[in-house]
Amino acid sequence: MDVTNYVILAAILFSIGAVGVLVRRNAIVMFMSIELMLNAANLAFVAFAQANGTFDGQVVAFFVMVVAAAEVVIGLAIIMAIFRTRKTASIDEANLLRA
Amino acid sequence: MLITTEVFVQPEINWFAISPFTILLAAGVFSLLIETFAPRAARRPLQLALVFGALLASFAAAALLLGTETLTAGDAVAIDGPGVLLQAVIALVALVGAAGLAENKVDPSGDAFAARASAIPGSSDERAFTAAGWYSTEIWTLFLFAAGGMQLFVVANDLLTMFIALEVMSLPLYLMAGMARRRRLLSQEAALKYFVLGAYSSAFFLFGAALVYGATGGINFNDIAQAIPGRPQTATLLMAGVVLIFVGMLFKIGSAPFHQWTPDVYQGAPTTLTAFMAAGVKLAAFGAMLRLAYSAFGALIWDWRPLLWAIAAITMFVGVLAALMQTDIKRMLAYSSVAHAGFLLVGLISGTNAGLVSVLFYLAAYAFTTLGVFLLLSLVRDANGEANNIDTWRGLASKSPLTAFTMTFLLLALAGFPLTSGFIAKFSVFAAAVQANQMPIVLLAILASAIAVVFYLRVVVLMYFRAAESTEVAVAIPSNFTVVALVVSAVITLILGVYPQPLLDLISQTPVFIR
């Protein structure tokens, strides 16, 4: 079992998430892309924990899950507030702030 | 393959050493209980008593800890000279910031936050809650967690603790940015942008941390620093990780090309919150950035220095050139904060003790000046709320000489004029960089500072030498909260300008990160 494969998969997932945030215009989808990036990091941490033979990476993965859950709460609260005001979750509609 | 079982050793926790931020986080939990159980009328006074009490206790604890050097909580937290000093400054900044947030006389309907953030803007619910004189007292819970997160951020000694602190600091600020009483659409939009870009950047930080863990086999800064020389075969992985971590941090300090959120969030958030955010996040994120660069990745200085050199140069010029073109004074100050992030990076890349001392001094000086400037902005108002367009500031000196004078003094401090803290700060940062043979970047920084004078002085000229266009814009009479906050910021800006030696000595006593 080669750890490298897991790390490459993590890198691919992270890139999909990173590009997703940049190209998708729906706040919910952008948000899902960010979650994908966090989970890619988790996969990398667990894979490296196996490679290094230490527990640190696995412990980090648990904490990241908790943080991701907290982030979901905050993010959805903000998106909901905007959705109720404007009846849309598109990022392009949020364009009042500019020079 | 199974991982060999390690014996779990319970970490020793030195409760006194970690008291500054534990006080604030515990107060945050207690504040949540007040929200849940106290009757509505009693919440604001109770919350204010708790917030100011906790911040004073936290400041006192940090002051008592000055000079302590210890690792605690399983080496996850490093209590050392720069860390404790930044904790004390953050507590003071939070005290001044809390006084600004507590202001409820300037706006006829209450403080700067929506009567109830969940009410749809323009709805009958919103009007009813506002007419009933409600306050969003939950901002104090969020505020305490944000301040506690900032204090943890500057002493975090492993990548996990640093990530947690980053989130504890940021998540409450995302929410508070969207809770303004006036111009609620702008405020909600600012919150969305801040949240999406903030979460995006922390994902970069986290993936970078994973790569560094893979390359060095540890998340603790001491393990990382010791593993770096011995593992040349993982150098590429390590560098990729370091770059991703720095990208995440550069987002937070608002340096170009990762600064796009700064003007939008600074403009959309309630101005009193912008004051705390601009000062506090800059302090905390730069403290953590210093620790990463000097403590964890100190051996890699020849790799990260060229990178941050380029970032510093781009940041300074993007900041000053964009600030020249702004018509909104909050956006102008946001770009000025981008430029200041560049000046701070100039100090950071010197990589010496003198560089560290100068950056810490710059952070303390800049934080209080920024607080004062944004709090002053919140006082200049017309019928619709704050008047932030730069033209509405014409002839302000004839309407309120004191406001115009204080504003002039603080803007001169941001520009770096002598007899203000900004001059000493800039001078020490540039001197440290020159000592470290970084002459080219210092010349660029001096050029950028010269350009910056133009847009700071433009406001001064408008206030003093132009006739007022409208009588609608006026300076509101604030309550004692804001008055005290403004006096403290202005006095600290003055004292650090004319008599900076005590603070410089204090910083120089223990200018090393332990790990």
Side-chain angles (χ1 to χ4, degrees):
Chain A
M1 190 178 67
D2 192 358
V3 169
T4 320
N5 294 334
Y6 290 94
V7 177
I8 291 173
L9 176 64
I12 293 172
L13 288 175
F14 184 82
S15 312
I16 293 174
V19 174
V21 174
L22 298 178
V23 300
R24 298 306 291 266
R25 302 272 52 107
N26 186 303
I28 303 274
V29 180
M30 291 172 87
F31 190 34
M32 285 158 63
S33 302
I34 291 171
E35 293 299 307
L36 190 62
M37 293 165 78
L38 292 181
N39 283 314
N42 264 355
L43 181 60
F45 264 115
V46 175
F48 283 131
Q50 186 76 4
N52 290 331
T54 54
F55 276 131
D56 291 343
Q58 302 187 9
V59 175
V60 172
F62 278 113
F63 275 92
V64 172
M65 283 181 220
V66 176
V67 169
E71 219 167 63
V72 170
V73 175
I74 305 268
L76 286 184
I78 293 171
I79 295 172
M80 272 301 294
I82 292 211
F83 182 75
R84 280 162 27 125
T85 309
R86 299 169 187 247
K87 304 288 175 236
T88 171
S90 166
I91 282 280
D92 288 338
E93 301 287 320
N95 56 5
L96 298 171
L97 286 165
R98 54 180 53 182
Chain B
M1 187 187 84
L2 281 173
I3 292 175
T4 46
T5 320
E6 297 169 42
V7 180
F8 179 74
V9 186
Q10 188 187 358
E12 287 233 0
I13 297 181
N14 179 347
W15 288 101
F16 177 56
I18 62 168
S19 56
F21 60 86
T22 12
I23 289 172
L24 292 184
L25 296 176
V29 175
F30 195 73
S31 149
L32 203 56
L33 292 177
I34 295 180
E35 272 314 295
T36 317
F37 294 109
R40 186 172 292 278
R43 284 182 205 162
R44 188 175 142 91
L46 278 175
Q47 295 281 22
L48 286 179
L50 177 69
V51 166
F52 284 104
L55 285 172
L56 282 173
S58 167
F59 176 71
L64 287 175
L65 279 166
L66 279 175
T68 316
E69 289 198 324
T70 176
L71 293 173
T72 185
D75 295 357
V77 173
I79 307 297
D80 50 17
V84 173
L85 188 93
L86 282 169
Q87 284 189 326
V89 177
I90 289 171
L92 259 186
V93 163
L95 271 170
V96 178
L101 290 172
E103 173 64 52
N104 63 345
K105 290 282 187 296
V106 164
D107 194 314
S109 46
D111 63 3
F113 290 88
R116 196 159 162 187
S118 60
I120 299 170
S123 64
S124 54
D125 276 358
E126 187 196 34
R127 282 191 293 278
F129 295 138
T130 309
W134 285 11
Y135 283 91
S136 286
T137 40
E138 58 267 38
I139 61 158
W140 297 111
T141 313
L142 298 169
F143 175 83
L144 283 168
F145 280 121
M150 285 172 188
Q151 285 198 336
L152 178 58
F153 205 19
V154 296
V155 293
N157 194 40
D158 64 40
L159 290 170
L160 175 59
T161 313
M162 194 168 262
F163 176 69
I164 302 282
L166 172 73
E167 294 292 324
V168 173
M169 167 183 87
S170 306
L171 292 177
L173 291 178
Y174 301 151
L175 277 182
M176 289 169 84
M179 292 169 66
R181 185 179 287 269
R182 307 269 180 159
R183 302 199 178 107
R184 291 190 58 198
L185 291 184
L186 286 183
S187 171
Q188 291 183 348
E189 185 178 321
L192 181 67
K193 289 183 173 171
Y194 197 15
F195 169 75
V196 170
L197 289 173
Y200 193 51
S201 71
S202 48
F204 275 94
F205 179 94
L206 190 69
F207 199 74
L211 297 188
V212 168
Y213 171 62
T216 61
I219 54 169
N220 188 278
F221 290 168
N222 190 34
D223 299 343
I224 292 172
Q226 293 198 335
I228 286 173
R231 293 198 179 192
Q233 70 276 19
T234 56
T236 319
L237 193 61
L238 179 66
M239 260 332 275
V242 172
V243 169
L244 284 178
I245 287 181
F246 277 152
V247 167
M249 298 299 293
L250 290 169
F251 254 110
K252 280 288 153 207
I253 62 174
S255 71
F258 314 109
H259 67 286
Q260 278 90 350
W261 61 271
T262 319
D264 287 351
V265 173
Y266 279 25
Q267 186 191 357
T271 308
T272 44
L273 176 71
T274 307
F276 171 64
M277 206 164 66
V281 173
K282 194 79 99 199
L283 270 170
F286 245 101
M289 179 100 178
L290 281 169
R291 190 179 294 277
L292 279 170
Y294 286 44
S295 171
F297 307 132
L300 296 172
I301 182 164
W302 300 106
D303 294 306
W304 58 250
R305 190 187 259 168
L307 194 79
L308 293 183
W309 196 101
I311 297 270
I314 299 170
T315 305
M316 289 185 295
F317 282 96
V318 166
V320 293
L321 294 178
L324 280 178
M325 290 178 278
Q326 301 306 316
T327 52
D328 185 290
I329 200 159
K330 267 168 104 179
R331 286 185 88 83
M332 187 200 89
L333 287 169
Y335 279 111
S336 125
S337 102
V338 172
H340 281 280
F343 297 138
L344 281 158
L345 282 173
V346 171
L348 190 143
I349 58 174
S350 60
T352 55
N353 269 352
L356 177 59
V357 171
S358 69
V359 172
L360 291 175
F361 184 86
Y362 199 123
L363 281 171
Y366 173 76
F368 289 103
T369 314
T370 311
L371 269 173
V373 166
F374 278 107
L375 289 181
L376 268 178
L377 284 193
S378 69
L379 300 185
V380 181
R381 307 176 75 91
D382 57 21
N384 297 319
E386 282 162 29
N388 289 330
N389 193 298
I390 219 156
D391 286 327
T392 56
W393 283 60
R394 281 169 194 270
L396 200 76
S398 59
K399 291 174 186 165
S400 172
L402 188 60
T403 309
F405 176 77
T406 320
M407 191 68 186
T408 305
F409 174 68
L410 293 173
L411 286 175
L412 290 180
L414 285 179
F417 274 66
L419 291 183
T420 65
S421 60
F423 174 73
I424 311 282
K426 273 214 177 85
F427 180 79
S428 55
V429 162
F430 294 169
V434 169
Q435 275 171 18
N437 294 320
Q438 299 292 326
M439 201 58 196
I441 191 86
V442 172
L443 291 177
L444 289 177
I446 290 171
L447 180 62
S449 315
I451 302 173
V453 172
V454 176
F455 59 82
Y456 292 126
L457 285 190
R458 187 174 57 164
V459 179
V460 176
V461 169
L462 280 179
M463 286 192 299
Y464 278 95
F465 303 114
R466 296 283 183 276
E469 281 180 341
S470 72
T471 49
E472 234 183 74
V473 178
V475 177
I477 306 297
S479 67
N480 288 337
F481 283 120
T482 304
V483 172
V484 171
L486 280 171
V487 167
V488 171
S489 343
V491 165
I492 291 181
T493 304
L494 179 66
I495 290 177
L496 292 184
V498 293
Y499 190 49
Q501 208 52 45
L503 181 63
L504 283 170
D505 288 343
L506 189 67
I507 303 172
S508 310
Q509 271 172 14
T510 46
V512 268
F513 288 112
I514 60 168
R515 50 166 202 252

